[in-house]
Amino acid sequence: MQLHYGLNDLKDFDLMGILPIILPVIMVGMLLVLIALIDLYQHRKTRKDVLIWTLIILFVNTLGPVLYFVIGRKDSEKS
């Protein structure tokens, strides 16, 4: 039983086999980021901490836009 894989084993890795699984996940993540940034831009005058939310959306991958829609959109409702 081989427990350690080396760099030579990467040549046998089939990227095209897992691409149909990974591509939709990447596309959904990018779409969430795009929609969150558009919403943040459209409501930038009523939102608090626009710069911080932009950084969270961009750098916290899929979780960032979800946090923005759950927490960040409520900032303007309280004001």
Side-chain angles (χ1 to χ4, degrees), residues 49-64:
D49 303 323
V50 174
L51 179 64
I52 294 172
W53 277 115
T54 303
L55 294 175
I56 290 173
I57 291 168
L58 290 175
F59 294 116
V60 187
N61 294 337
T62 306
L63 189 60

Side-chain angles (χ1 to χ4, degrees), residues 13-66:
F13 185 72
D14 184 25
L15 181 64
M16 297 309 279
I18 63 166
L19 192 62
I21 297 169
I22 293 175
L23 193 59
V25 173
I26 292 171
M27 295 302 292
V28 166
M30 290 174 57
L31 186 64
L32 274 173
V33 168
L34 183 66
I35 291 171
L37 287 174
I38 289 172
D39 184 71
L40 182 63
Y41 179 75
Q42 288 176 346
H43 300 99
R44 67 187 176 276
K45 295 184 182 191
T46 58
R47 300 279 190 261
K48 297 178 183 176
D49 303 323
V50 174
L51 179 64
I52 294 172
W53 277 115
T54 303
L55 294 175
I56 290 173
I57 291 168
L58 290 175
F59 294 116
V60 187
N61 294 337
T62 306
L63 189 60
V66 172

Side-chain angles (χ1 to χ4, degrees), residues 1-6 9:
M1 178 193 300
Q2 183 180 4
L3 296 177
H4 181 272
Y5 295 100
D9 295 326

